[in-house]
Amino acid sequence: MALIINDECINCDVCEPECPNGAISQGEDIYVINPELCTECVGHHDLPQCMDVCPVDCISKDPKHVEDKESLYQKYLKLIG
């Protein structure tokens, strides 16, 4: 499942450099996560790094992009390949 940043985002910029896949970027009003690039850090870390560093806990699983751990791992392999 890809992650999503909700409108409680304060644009602090701590999440973007933590993403090993470059999935986080500045959107029109808040930071956004590209679900095609988000692997929840599977293949890189045990936990999603953006969620770990977010000071306002505005990052959660995106119910519109449900993926299991194996699917996330396969996405990771395609991204590094």
Side-chain angles (χ1 to χ4, degrees):
M1 181 177 292
L3 301 174
I4 190 168
I5 299 173
N6 68 40
D7 60 5
E8 293 178 22
C9 175
I10 59 172
N11 291 305
C12 66
D13 193 42
V14 297
C15 61
E16 184 180 20
E18 295 300 320
C19 181
N21 298 321
I24 301 173
S25 62
Q26 179 65 51
E28 190 172 315
D29 297 316
I30 61 173
Y31 278 85
V32 295
I33 297 176
N34 179 340
E36 299 298 316
L37 299 177
C38 179
T39 63
E40 292 186 40
C41 292
V42 169
H44 295 282
H45 304 284
D46 292 334
L47 299 170
Q49 297 301 286
C50 61
M51 292 177 81
D52 195 40
V53 299
C54 180
V56 293
D57 296 324
C58 68
I59 304 171
S60 59
K61 293 182 184 263
D62 185 352
K64 294 180 183 174
H65 296 96
V66 177
E67 298 169 282
D68 62 17
K69 194 163 188 147
E70 180 60 29
S71 298
L72 292 169
Y73 185 70
Q74 290 304 314
K75 187 191 304 185
Y76 158 76
L77 292 177
K78 287 180 185 176
L79 290 172
I80 64 166

